[in-house]
Amino acid sequence: LRDIQDVSIDQGVQELLEKARREGVDTAFDRADQMSTCGFGSTGVCCRHCLEGPCRIAPNGKGPQRGICGADVHTIVARNFLSHLTEGAAGHAEHGREVALTLLEAAEGTAPYEIKDQGKLLKVAQDLKIDITNKEPKEIAKEVALKALEDFSKQKGIMNWVELRAHKDSLATWNELGVTPVNAHLEISKSVARSAMGCDADPLNLVLGGITMGLVDGYAGLHLSTDLQDILFGTPKAVKAQYAMGVLKEDMINIAVHGHVPMLSEKVVEWARKLNSEAKEVGAKGINIVGVCCTGNELLMRQGVSVASSFSSQELVIVSGVLEAMVVDIQCVMPGIQAVAECYHTDIITTLPYVKIPGASHIEFHPEDADEAAQAIVRKAIGNFTKRDPAKIAIPQETVEAYAGFSTEQVVEALALINQEDPLQPLIEAITSGKIRGVAAIVGCTNPKEKQDIGNVTVAKELLKNNVLVVATGCAAHSLAKHNLMNPQGLAYCGEELRQVLEGIGQAAGLPSLPPVLHMGSCVDNSRPADLLTAIANKLGLPIRSLPVVGSCPETHSPKALSIGTFFIAHGVDVHVGVSPQVSGSSVVTEMLCGDKVSEGVTAEKVFGGKLIYETDPVKGAQLLLERIDSKRAALGI
Ligand code: SF4
Ligand code: WCC
Ligand code: FE2
């Protein structure tokens, strides 16, 4: 096993891992050490698409070079890559669909949710070309929800959310290539079908199918979810909150909310507040909700809820010995949490019919009876408080303050304090003058195989030092927040010119400064940086591919990160990944994704203007991103 110092740079995580090992509790970090890496799988050359196989291609030419059906290594790798992207896109599309259904039920009065941001509702409705004259908000909300659901059912044309949100130049490229999605379900189904044995065997065609999955993810997943969640729960505004394991409280009932879709977690927060007196009756001071993964991000952005852990250390929240319940919905929920919970008094509560864990409690959640489910969950946690084992309690001390809540709307609002008429102008000015060298989104996960936070934090610091404006989402945002990059202390890592810009905008808003990294939300909120880019590109009359902007995903584990990355590449934004995307077994596929302008054949760079950059060393990764930023600046003559 690795030394605890080699597992994470977060001291709280180190302490809890040490405790877990002492108490004989198995966690993902240690399982990662025990898992041997398979050379076939990690290069993408193993095919399990049919029962003739599994077939695997020998990497050095010694051994079979084709599967039993005759598929060569390029077909196999491209098909596996497409399968990953399909999985990622399906997760986010399912998220979007559930939010759309909830909005519909809220509008029809069958689910107990309000429409918190009526301004955004009207804006989205108008942009969807819905006639809003003389209509009640609920009527408009219903029409918006139905338009969203069309993106899972229409059989002709292009997805409504693509039309609503895509930059016209990007869309023109996709239309020309024939990769623009019609509806999410149709495309996902087609994608599963084409990757089966005996179907699509052309690596280029398969990779183009992957681009469609990136767009399904980006529009039916990211944009649709963010838009409708903002309508239902409010568009985030700047908030201050606390990060790290120290947010757990010994004298309170602690409930971790984990997963992705805010419908459940918003209700748990609401009912935790309402049932506070019941918590006091069992001797606790109150109820403390803490976030894990993207549910943490959603609640942080809108409610200022504290964030305990990113993906890779989720089991360690339980090891603190003070967690009464961990409530989960979908995605990034490790099955391993149940075995850990069995070593303590914690209840794992699953909530969706299609996400269950053996041994866990199950309280089924449907939007219609959200209040009842949330109450039952909170009461179950209250009932657990007295079952703690005092000998097993250990909460790491440290918490870190972070400013978050930077929705695109909030960023524009802050900029409007400098230039009311033309809010984007100060930002564009800073970019063209070179005070801001470029913009980078640091996104994605943490991965138990990797040393937690080091990749995310190192890439961010390298970019900040070089005056790149950094925004963040997902679990990468957890890493950056915990290491002081979302509070004023982090200004020390910024280049002088970037720092002046952050202070200038912050002071106009009555703050000492903007934080060095702007937290834009959860993984589905990668729509927010995309919206900001679209607005800047429109303002400048340029395609997004020309802008000096990049994405980086240093510690990903999730196929969802690959489909989000593909969405950005389809706009011509270079995306760095620090973990193998499992395509290196095919020179053809690698060249399509990562090749440069002088490569032979079709490459993402030639077609879209952006490519995939795979580099495990975060300093080198950042360096490559800076080079790309500089070459885009040079092409613009700035
Ligand atoms: Fe083997 Fe072809 Fe079946 Fe894949 S699809 S398992 S390569 S026979
Ligand atoms: Ni989004 Fe990655 Fe976290 Fe899961 S919660 S681990 S996909 S970044
Ligand atoms: Fe996520």
Side-chain angles (χ1 to χ4, degrees), residues 77-91:
V77 169
R79 229 166 23 189
N80 286 338
F81 182 61
L82 178 59
S83 296
H84 263 156
L85 297 184
T86 309
E87 189 184 315

Side-chain angles (χ1 to χ4, degrees), residues 2 6-8 27-38 41-43 84 311-313 334 445-454 554-558 578-582 614 616:
R2 283 170 283 183
D6 296 329
V7 164
S8 176
T27 66
F29 293 115
D30 292 350
R31 290 191 297 272
D33 289 345
Q34 289 151 0
M35 188 63 63
S36 58
T37 308
C38 166
S42 54
T43 53
H84 263 156
F311 174 78
S312 59
S313 48
M334 288 188 191
C445 322
T446 56
N447 180 330
K449 287 196 297 189
E450 307 290 315
K451 183 171 176 177
Q452 189 190 38
D453 301 336
I454 187 88
E555 300 180 37
T556 187
H557 79 90
S558 173
V579 176
S580 167
Q582 304 185 349
Y614 169 46
T616 52

